[in-house]
Amino acid sequence: MSKILFVVTGADHWTLADGTRHPTGFWAEEAVAPYEAFKAAGHEIVVATPGGVVPTVDKASLAPEVNGGQENADRIAGALASFTELQHPVSLADVRLEDYAAVFYPGGHGPMEDLAVDAGSGRLLARALESGTPLGVVCHGPAALLAAVEEDGRNVFQGYEVAAFTNAEEIQGGMADRAKWLLQDRLTEAGVQVRVGEPWAPHVVVDRTLVTGQNPASSAPLAQELLKKLV
């Protein structure tokens, strides 16, 4: 049995352009769908967060309207309750990359607050890339890629093709005009090539050992692509 590391935001809010705090955390489906896929394939899951804090689920991600109705919302909530590893995270600073077969970053707006500027997470991502460790990142999770920089300021993912939450989706979700910055723009500025799919539809991009997904609907197919890297 291999171990897969889930690096999850420790933030429970996202600071907006006007300085107000928007409640957030990680997005439920983006944690649950890969968790179920990895566990079904026989892998062990370890959760890491900045400082080892117990991560907060974005309450909006449990609503029926974003889960295709009440029945699936209830299923997601139940699966999240079974994801007991979330209640016992290790500190990101204590992670030994060599202990894991793959690394996965779920999204939610939380990573825009902490992982986007977390140097420890950035070093972990850079080591994963250098070592060839399969790496999966979905939705707003690619905000974490922004912290993976060389001493000269160059982003280690420069030139990579990725999927990430798009400007169009942020606009349609009603948050674009309130945000300090948009993920698609920042990744592009860092030299990362964002490949845009249809809003809210599954869209996964595989570039070498990096597997990325655009939105919550992309998390399940992303998990399947990441599992192929472990065969």
Side-chain angles (χ1 to χ4, degrees), residues 134-137 159-164 193 195 203-214 218 221-229:
L135 178 62
V137 195
Y160 273 76
E161 295 188 352
V162 305
Q193 299 176 29
R195 297 293 175 239
H203 178 55
V204 175
V205 173
V206 181
D207 189 346
R208 289 158 276 186
T209 55
L210 177 65
V211 184
T212 50
Q214 180 171 311
S218 306
L222 181 155
Q224 295 305 318
E225 290 294 334
L226 193 62
L227 282 171
K228 292 177 185 177
K229 300 284 187 186

Side-chain angles (χ1 to χ4, degrees), residues 3-8 34 38 44-46 48 92 95-106 121 124-129 131-138 144-145 157 209-212 222-223 226-227 229-230:
K3 290 198 292 187
I4 297 178
L5 181 71
F6 271 52
V7 180
V8 182
F38 300 154
E44 179 183 347
I45 305 301
V46 175
L92 194 52
V95 165
R96 285 164 31 96
L97 179 63
E98 56 269 29
D99 292 339
Y100 300 95
V103 179
F104 173 71
Y105 280 65
S121 172
L124 177 70
L125 288 166
R127 291 202 307 273
L129 206 61
S131 66
T133 302
L135 178 62
V137 195
V138 69
L145 307 187
F157 291 94
T209 55
L210 177 65
V211 184
T212 50
L222 181 155
L226 193 62
L227 282 171
K229 300 284 187 186
L230 301 183

Side-chain angles (χ1 to χ4, degrees), residues 60-77:
S61 69
L62 299 173
E65 55 266 29
V66 299
N67 287 294
Q70 188 63 54
E71 183 177 350
N72 194 53
D74 291 343
R75 190 195 74 79
I76 291 287

Side-chain angles (χ1 to χ4, degrees), residues 135-154:
L135 178 62
V137 195
V138 69
C139 200
H140 288 92
L145 307 187
L146 298 171
V149 293
E150 304 277 12
E151 288 185 6
D152 62 3
R154 185 187 73 87

Side-chain angles (χ1 to χ4, degrees), residues 2-228:
S2 299
K3 290 198 292 187
I4 297 178
L5 181 71
F6 271 52
V7 180
V8 182
T9 176
D12 62 3
H13 68 275
W14 178 32
T15 305
L16 302 177
D18 64 0
T20 59
R21 291 184 167 195
H22 177 70
T24 187
F26 69 89
W27 199 260
E29 181 183 358
E30 296 167 18
V32 164
Y35 177 78
E36 292 179 328
F38 300 154
K39 293 287 278 190
H43 299 289
E44 179 183 347
I45 305 301
V46 175
V47 172
T49 62
V53 301
V54 175
T56 299
V57 64
D58 189 322
K59 298 299 190 294
S61 69
L62 299 173
E65 55 266 29
V66 299
N67 287 294
Q70 188 63 54
E71 183 177 350
N72 194 53
D74 291 343
R75 190 195 74 79
I76 291 287
L80 196 62
S82 300
F83 190 168
T84 55
E85 293 90 341
L86 285 166
Q87 302 305 311
H88 308 282
V90 301
S91 175
L92 194 52
D94 295 332
V95 165
R96 285 164 31 96
L97 179 63
E98 56 269 29
D99 292 339
Y100 300 95
V103 179
F104 173 71
Y105 280 65
H109 279 113
M112 302 274 281
E113 183 73 20
D114 60 354
L115 296 178
V117 293
D118 189 297
S121 172
R123 287 190 294 271
L124 177 70
L125 288 166
R127 291 202 307 273
L129 206 61
E130 184 179 10
S131 66
T133 302
L135 178 62
V137 195
V138 69
C139 200
H140 288 92
L145 307 187
L146 298 171
V149 293
E150 304 277 12
E151 288 185 6
D152 62 3
R154 185 187 73 87
N155 193 285
V156 302
F157 291 94
Q158 184 176 321
Y160 273 76
E161 295 188 352
V162 305
F165 201 71
T166 63
N167 289 358
E169 287 165 320
E170 207 73 85
I171 290 167
Q172 291 174 23
M175 297 302 295
D177 60 349
R178 302 174 65 192
K180 288 182 180 179
W181 48 273
L182 299 180
L183 180 56
Q184 181 183 337
D185 291 345
R186 278 288 175 90
L187 288 169
T188 301
E189 291 164 6
V192 182
Q193 299 176 29
V194 181
R195 297 293 175 239
V196 176
E198 288 297 315
W200 314 110
H203 178 55
V204 175
V205 173
V206 181
D207 189 346
R208 289 158 276 186
T209 55
L210 177 65
V211 184
T212 50
Q214 180 171 311
N215 46 37
S218 306
S219 53
L222 181 155
Q224 295 305 318
E225 290 294 334
L226 193 62
L227 282 171
K228 292 177 185 177

